[in-house]
């Protein structure tokens, strides 16, 4: 009897809420719904116009998902991203990663770069980075990120986080990165930023 | 999206004719312009919400015609306008036009003021004539409840005691008054009770005025008269920033509601009794949804803000009218530019779903908001939102404020502005 009353009261509550027009039948947030909310900072369909915020369009799906999970756990340093990533389930993160990976990539708009550093960075890329950051950083192996055509400021912040030991690296990456000086990391950042 | 350039240009000139059409007879004005040939969404207000709603409806269903009606040819962003007051930004950095957005997405922009909405006939009335719609999205921002401030003349007081709570000319009036003030002067800033546009805005403004004074008129001070019992947003961070940079310069007084203004004597009265004088007085009046929301009958029982369905942003008062941005009651989502951007996308998604008889999609929303403490350092707040039991709530255990003020936050703030303004304008 008690159960019947409680289920009836639930129906009544539901009816009251429906009458007020505030509850509707709706599907769970789609990948597009989840991802569009990010575009205020990462640009429409993930093409960023802000120097310190990366473009996500055409990014490696695995790299986006790893980044978000790293922000969520606090393993990867961030400003707002850690606080935002905690708002999503792993399934939602995978859905957003998939959405952005399928968008058409567009290199950053004209940015001022140091041409000597670009040339130096190219040599360093060939020597240290190209086995994972394929095709001048336009393509990727496994979980490596697309770094070509990103904003210089964003790449510089990431390089600084690596050099300061704030951002963890895989053993494979650490082997390649550790011998590089800050000046060399800056050169590599300039090189990737220059790729169209 | 291919754009019919000729019809777009024709529309632009039609808008011009409407604005300059004061000599037309009343009958001619009420005539329908732009007769509907297919399905149409009309968006009123070309700010943080309206531009995005118009764009995303077109992105999601190019077969729906979108008409964006805006009274100003250019939009000036409120976010970052406090930095203009401090001389850290140019107002041109915050100013947008509509040409690129209109051309890229085939949005028909009409520069005119909406004076009435006929929800029965499904049309909006502008000075240039009436425009029909299938669904209407209102993103009207805010207007002021001047009548709650005794002695306030809406025509003259803003020139003497600028509010600068709609960016543009008012921003520059406040800037000029600060520049003209003598060193050793007193700035008074009054904050209305919540809810108002941009919860941390008054405290960022306090910080930016203090930054200007510290660098230019260091003997001066600021008195903040806050109607709220305490700083309403990012309180710990503002206090920390003020202690670090502006010790002795900012006098914050909570629970001090300004009820009377005296422009002739350059003073305000707290609760009608306690007089506070200032050389520059920045009165931020209490607010409500933009006037067209009141005229359309979509403000709720509080007579100020618009209750909406949390999934579709359709008014719970009037069918077929959706309200987004500062004007609506969006549960846990604050009245911020980013919230308006995020709400616009949710609204567009579900307006398109409704017009195509498709299933609605649950809201997933974000707010990110930066406040400058100095010309170099900023703080931030972020949140993720979902719908629970018909209400917009923050996703538990997510969001919150930055641990500290920092230069890195200010770098991200700059990119925030670049991205969100680019999203609105192209």
């Amino acid at each position: 009897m008690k159960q019947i009353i409680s289920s009836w009261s639930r129906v009544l509550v539901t009816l009251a809420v429906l009458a007020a027009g505030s509850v509707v039948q709706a599907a769970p947030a789609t990948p597009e719904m989840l991802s569009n909310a990010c575009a205020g900072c990462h640009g429409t369909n993930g093409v960023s116009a802000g120097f310190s915020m990366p473009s996500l369009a055409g990014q490696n799906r695995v790299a986006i998902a790893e980044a978000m999970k790293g922000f969520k756990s606090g393993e990867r340093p961030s400003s707002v991203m850690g606080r935002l990533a905690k708002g999503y389930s792993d399934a939602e993160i995978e859905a957003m990663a998939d959405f952005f990976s399928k968008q058409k990539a567009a290199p950053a708009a004209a940015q001022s770069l140091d041409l000597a550093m670009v040339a130096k960075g190219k040599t360093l890329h060939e020597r240290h980075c190209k086995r994972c950051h394929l095709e001048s950083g336009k393509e990727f192996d496994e979980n490596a990120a697309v770094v070509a055509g990103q904003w210089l400021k964003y790449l510089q912040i990431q390089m600084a986080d690596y050099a300061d030991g704030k951002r963890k690296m895989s053993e494979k990456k650490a082997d390649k990165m550790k011998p590089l000086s800050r000046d060399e990391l800056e050169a590599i950042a300039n090189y990737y930023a220059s790729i169209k | 999206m291919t754009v019919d350039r000729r019809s777009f240009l024709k529309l632009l000139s039609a808008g011009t004719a409407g604005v300059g059409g004061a000599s037309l007879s009343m009958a001619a004005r009420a005539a329908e312009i732009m007769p509907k040939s297919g399905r149409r969404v009309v968006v009123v207000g070309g700010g943080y919400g309206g531009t995005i709603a118009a764009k995303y409806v077109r992105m999601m269903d190019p077969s729906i015609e979108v008409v964006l009606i805006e009274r100003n040819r250019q939009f000036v962003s409120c976010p970052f306008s406090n930095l203009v007051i401090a001389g850290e930004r140019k107002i041109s950095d915050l100013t947008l036009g509509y040409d690129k957005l209109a051309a890229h997405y085939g949005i028909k922009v009409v520069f005119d003021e909406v004076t009435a909405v006929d929800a029965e006939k499904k049309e909006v009335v502008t000075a240039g004539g009436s425009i029909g719609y299938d669904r209407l999205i209102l993103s009207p921002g805010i207007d002021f409840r001047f009548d709650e401030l005794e002695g306030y003349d809406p025509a003259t007081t803003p020139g003497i005691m600028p509010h600068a709570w709609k960016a543009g000319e008012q921003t520059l009036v406040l800037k000029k008054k600060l520049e003209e003030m003598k060193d050793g002067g007193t700035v008074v800033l009054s904050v209305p009770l919540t809810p108002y546009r941009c919860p941390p805005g008054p405290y960022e403004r306090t910080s930016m005025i203090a930054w200007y004074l510290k660098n230019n008129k260091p003997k001066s001070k600021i008195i903040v008269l806050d109607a709220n019992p305490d700083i309403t947003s990012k309180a710990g961070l503002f206090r920390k920033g003020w202690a670090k940079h502006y010790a002795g310069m900012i006098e914050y007084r909570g629970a001090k509601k300004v009820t009377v203004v005296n422009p002739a004597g350059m003073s305000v009265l707290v609760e009608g009794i306690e007089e506070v004088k200032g050389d520059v007085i920045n009165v931020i009046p209490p607010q409500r949804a933009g006037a067209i929301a009141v005229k359309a009958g979509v403000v709720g029982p509080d007579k100020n803000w618009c209750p909406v369905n949390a999934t579709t942003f359709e008014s719970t008062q009037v069918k077929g009218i959706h309200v987004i941005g500062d004007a609506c009651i969006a549960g846990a989502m604050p009245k911020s530019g980013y919230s308006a951007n995020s709400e616009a996308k949710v609204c567009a998604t579900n307006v398109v779903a409704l017009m195509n008889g498709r299933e609605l999609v649950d809201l997933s929303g974000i707010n990110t908001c930066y406040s400058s403490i100095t010309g170099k350092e900023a703080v931030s707040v972020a949140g993720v939102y979902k719908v629970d039991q018909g209400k917009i709530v923050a996703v538990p255990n997510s969001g919150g404020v930055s641990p500290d003020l920092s230069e890195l936050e200010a770098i991200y703030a700059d990119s925030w502005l670049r991205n969100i303004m680019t999203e609105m304008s192209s």
Side-chain angles (χ1 to χ4, degrees):
Chain A
M1 187 59 198
K2 210 171 170 187
Q3 236 172 359
I4 294 168
I5 291 170
S6 90
S7 67
W8 261 107
S9 62
R10 222 170 10 222
V11 168
L12 287 174
V13 167
T14 309
L15 283 175
V17 175
L18 282 174
S22 53
V23 170
V24 295
Q25 285 292 318
T30 55
E32 193 180 20
M33 171 67 81
L34 292 161
S35 307
N36 284 342
C38 313
C41 285
H42 286 282
T44 304
N45 292 330
V47 177
S48 173
F51 307 154
S52 63
M53 291 167 182
S55 278
L56 302 175
Q59 183 53 274
N60 180 359
R61 182 179 58 78
V62 179
I64 301 177
E66 266 189 17
M68 284 292 282
K69 288 172 190 173
F71 289 136
K72 190 175 170 180
S73 70
E75 192 177 299
R76 180 168 168 182
S78 71
S79 159
V80 296
M81 285 312 300
R83 291 170 262 154
L84 292 172
K86 288 187 178 71
Y88 299 99
S89 68
D90 285 358
E92 288 171 328
I93 285 173
E94 297 290 349
M96 290 187 276
D98 189 57
F99 175 90
F100 284 116
S101 72
K102 288 175 178 160
Q103 304 304 312
K104 191 169 177 283
Q111 45 184 339
S112 114
L113 301 170
D114 182 329
L115 290 181
M117 290 294 252
V118 169
K120 188 177 163 189
K122 186 176 192 320
T123 312
L124 290 162
H125 161 78
E126 301 285 343
R127 206 176 299 153
H128 296 267
C129 320
K130 73 169 184 189
R131 280 170 61 188
C132 297
H133 295 288
L134 312 174
E135 303 291 326
S136 307
K138 285 186 195 171
E139 295 294 330
F140 49 82
D141 185 40
E142 294 178 14
N143 64 347
V146 174
V147 284
Q150 283 292 2
W151 290 106
L152 178 63
K153 189 76 207 173
Y154 168 73
L155 294 170
Q156 287 171 328
I157 293 171
Q158 303 315 306
M159 291 300 200
D161 281 347
Y162 282 130
D164 295 342
K166 286 185 192 162
R167 188 171 165 188
K168 277 192 190 161
M169 288 180 269
S170 65
E171 221 169 286
K172 192 168 71 170
K173 192 175 179 83
D175 278 351
K176 301 288 185 188
M177 293 275 285
K178 286 272 165 67
L180 297 169
S181 68
R182 281 178 193 260
D183 193 55
E184 287 172 322
L185 294 177
E186 172 71 15
I188 295 169
N190 269 269
Y191 171 64
Y192 289 137
S194 77
I195 306 294
K196 293 288 173 197
Chain B
M1 178 61 216
T2 44
V3 182
D4 182 349
R5 206 180 174 80
R6 216 186 313 156
S7 70
F8 169 59
L9 289 173
K10 217 162 71 187
L11 274 162
L12 274 182
S13 57
T16 315
V19 169
S23 62
L24 294 175
S25 73
M26 287 304 287
R29 277 196 212 173
E32 186 179 13
I33 52 170
M34 311 172 68
K36 222 154 59 75
S37 56
R39 299 175 304 158
R40 180 191 283 164
V41 169
V42 169
V43 181
V44 176
Y48 274 87
T51 52
I52 299 297
K55 169 171 165 170
Y56 276 73
V57 168
R58 292 289 296 168
M59 278 169 66
M60 290 166 176
D61 187 346
S63 75
I64 297 172
E65 183 189 28
V66 173
V67 179
L68 173 63
I69 310 175
E70 163 59 45
R71 65 183 154 204
N72 298 313
R73 299 233 153 212
Q74 289 187 312
F75 172 75
V76 184
S77 166
C78 270
F80 279 73
S81 64
N82 287 330
L83 281 86
V84 173
I85 291 166
E88 292 288 338
R89 282 263 173 185
K90 288 195 213 107
I91 202 149
S92 56
D93 293 351
L94 310 184
T95 307
L96 295 179
Y98 296 95
D99 294 6
K100 256 167 88 179
L101 180 76
H104 282 173
Y105 295 95
I107 297 162
K108 294 168 180 174
V109 181
V110 174
F111 294 108
D112 205 339
E113 181 149 358
V114 177
T115 52
V117 176
D118 188 333
E120 292 282 307
K121 281 205 235 163
K122 293 199 163 188
E123 60 179 36
V124 299
V125 181
T126 71
S130 67
I131 299 172
Y133 65 79
D134 294 297
R135 289 203 170 259
L136 174 63
I137 301 174
L138 297 180
S139 189
I142 55 144
D143 269 311
F144 299 109
R145 284 142 54 194
F146 292 128
D147 54 328
E148 292 177 25
L149 292 168
E150 196 185 321
Y152 199 105
D153 177 352
T156 59
T157 307
I160 304 164
M161 299 177 162
H163 53 73
W165 220 242
K166 291 184 183 184
E169 195 200 336
Q170 273 284 297
T171 311
L172 300 176
V173 172
L174 179 56
K175 180 177 196 283
K176 188 155 175 275
K177 296 219 177 269
L178 288 167
E179 285 164 357
E180 287 169 356
M181 189 181 82
K182 64 179 189 298
D183 190 9
T186 299
V187 179
V188 174
L189 187 153
S190 79
V191 188
L193 279 173
T194 57
Y196 56 82
R197 160 180 281 178
C198 187
Y203 316 108
E204 182 194 56
R205 172 158 306 163
T206 302
S207 308
M208 284 294 94
I209 291 175
W211 176 246
Y212 168 78
L213 295 178
K214 186 180 174 179
N215 292 320
N216 298 282
K217 288 155 190 176
K219 287 181 228 153
S220 312
K221 68 169 184 174
I222 311 171
I223 299 171
V224 181
L225 301 173
D226 195 339
N228 302 287
D230 196 1
I231 296 173
T232 62
S233 174
K234 304 173 186 162
L237 289 168
F238 281 114
R239 265 192 225 102
K240 192 172 178 179
W242 293 353
K244 182 178 170 189
H245 294 287
Y246 310 121
M249 183 171 259
I250 298 171
E251 190 182 323
Y252 176 83
R253 304 182 192 168
K256 295 282 184 186
K257 187 179 172 190
V258 168
T259 56
V260 182
V261 299
N262 174 15
M266 281 304 279
S267 72
V268 294
L269 297 187
V270 173
E271 298 295 353
I273 304 165
E274 185 188 342
E275 186 177 42
V276 181
K277 282 181 169 287
D279 298 292
V280 173
I281 303 184
N282 174 199
V283 173
I284 305 169
Q287 297 153 30
R288 61 167 166 73
I292 191 60
V294 179
K295 288 180 188 164
V298 290
V299 292
D302 70 359
K303 294 190 166 60
N304 293 324
W305 307 105
C306 309
V308 292
N309 178 285
T311 302
T312 59
F313 285 85
E314 186 167 8
S315 166
T316 54
Q317 313 265 123
V318 185
K319 279 206 163 111
I321 303 181
H322 302 249
V323 190
I324 57 172
D326 292 343
C328 78
I329 301 169
M333 292 182 81
K335 295 190 186 304
S336 72
Y338 203 101
S339 288
N341 172 293
S342 192
E343 289 159 19
K345 293 163 182 172
V346 178
C347 178
T349 302
N350 285 319
V351 160
V352 169
L354 286 165
M355 289 175 77
N356 287 295
R358 288 204 301 257
E359 190 180 17
L360 298 172
V361 181
D362 268 340
L363 168 146
S364 179
I366 289 179
N367 176 51
T368 57
C369 155
Y370 292 87
S371 302
S372 291
I373 302 291
T374 69
K376 293 194 183 93
E377 291 168 298
V379 297
S380 66
V381 66
V384 183
Y385 304 91
K386 64 173 186 175
V387 172
D388 188 21
Q389 305 286 317
K391 288 198 160 55
I392 301 174
V393 298
V395 175
N397 305 314
S398 71
V401 297
S402 55
D404 208 338
L405 40 154
S406 74
E407 293 190 14
L408 190 58
E409 293 283 344
I411 289 168
Y412 285 120
D414 177 72
S415 288
W416 179 99
L417 181 73
R418 284 172 196 278
N419 263 316
I420 206 161
M421 299 260 295
T422 301
E423 219 201 358
M424 291 162 71
S425 62
S426 62

